[in-house]
Structure formats: C-alpha cells, structure tokens
Amino acid sequence: MQQNVTEELVEQYAKIDIIAEEILTEKHQIVDLDAKRNKCREAARSLRKQHPNVHKNKSKSWVCFGNTFIKMDTSECISMLESDQKTLDKEIDDLRDGLKPKVAKLHQMEGRAQVKGFELKGMRVEEVLNLKS
C-alpha cells in the first residue's frame, strides 16, 4: 500500500519536473530568439543610418551568410533583415502562447491557485484604433 503511494508520488513529481523543464527550455529559447531579433533590428538600423537614401542610390553592402561574404543591394539586405525580424517575432509569440498553458498546468499540478489575469492578451493596433473612434 505504502509502496503504491510512494510510486504515485514519484510519478507525479516526475511529471512536474518534465513540465518545468519544458517551461525553462522555452524561456531560454525566447531569450535566444529575442537576442537574434535585436541583432536584426540593430543591423537594419545601422544600414539605414549609413545609407539614408537607399532607394535612390543603388548602394551595396557586404553580407555574411555562414562563412561566405556576399555584396548585395542595401535595400535587399534591409528587407531580408526585416523579414527575419518578422519571422522571429512570430516564433517568439508562438512560444509565449504555448508557454501559458504549460505554466497553468504546472500550477495546477503543484496545487497552487490559478494566477488572475494570466490568460490576458495584448490588444492589436486595429483594436486600439477602434476604441479611439
């Protein structure tokens, strides 16, 4: 009898540990992706600052792809960086959305109360504009 209870407790703690590990892994992924997103933002800002009239001038910039440097149009480089930034934004948002249910499940498994307002989401620009009008 007591052995069954002990096995159930060990099993429950193992499940809690697995969920906690997943949460920590996703948080680290979010931090890494955010660092990449900031580097893309900084690079695009630097290119815009160095070449203020990108669309008028056909200036070229060196870009590093892996171990290879390629000279490309600066406007192409900026658009690539912006698309990378949008992709990273989406990945970060997806990870954050997936993180909330896992944290709620962890709280439930630990016997803690549900955090109020935890499921709230930010308003989109369109929604804010609709409020103003």
Side-chain angles (χ1 to χ4, degrees), residues 2-18 109:
Q2 188 169 356
Q3 187 176 8
N4 289 341
V5 173
T6 306
E7 288 176 6
E8 288 176 14
L9 281 174
V10 169
E11 196 174 302
Q12 183 70 15
Y13 283 128
K15 288 178 184 177
I16 289 172
D17 192 42
I18 290 171
M109 290 177 79

Side-chain angles (χ1 to χ4, degrees), residues 29-43:
Q29 285 177 339
I30 289 171
V31 170
D32 291 341
L33 290 174
D34 191 45
K36 286 181 185 178
R37 181 179 62 176
N38 283 335
K39 286 182 182 180
C40 284
R41 181 186 50 79
E42 290 171 6

Side-chain angles (χ1 to χ4, degrees), residues 25-59:
T25 302
E26 287 186 13
K27 283 186 177 185
H28 287 295
Q29 285 177 339
I30 289 171
V31 170
D32 291 341
L33 290 174
D34 191 45
K36 286 181 185 178
R37 181 179 62 176
N38 283 335
K39 286 182 182 180
C40 284
R41 181 186 50 79
E42 290 171 6
R45 173 81 171 121
S46 177
L47 284 173
R48 281 193 201 98
K49 192 173 183 181
Q50 289 176 358
H51 307 282
N53 298 323
V54 172
H55 298 292
K56 293 178 184 175
N57 305 339
K58 287 294 180 181
S59 61

Side-chain angles (χ1 to χ4, degrees), residues 32-87:
D32 291 341
L33 290 174
D34 191 45
K36 286 181 185 178
R37 181 179 62 176
N38 283 335
K39 286 182 182 180
C40 284
R41 181 186 50 79
E42 290 171 6
R45 173 81 171 121
S46 177
L47 284 173
R48 281 193 201 98
K49 192 173 183 181
Q50 289 176 358
H51 307 282
N53 298 323
V54 172
H55 298 292
K56 293 178 184 175
N57 305 339
K58 287 294 180 181
S59 61
K60 295 193 179 253
S61 298
W62 287 99
V63 181
C64 180
F65 291 107
N67 294 331
T68 308
F69 282 92
I70 300 172
K71 199 168 193 177
M72 295 177 60
D73 286 340
T74 305
S75 60
E76 275 186 54
C77 294
I78 292 172
S79 65
M80 283 177 29
L81 288 168
E82 288 172 347
S83 69
D84 287 349
Q85 200 168 1
K86 287 178 184 176
T87 303

Side-chain angles (χ1 to χ4, degrees), residues 117-129:
F118 190 66
E119 296 296 323
L120 295 176
K121 291 187 179 183
M123 294 176 69
R124 295 189 311 262
V125 175
E126 300 87 31
E127 294 171 337
V128 172
L129 293 175

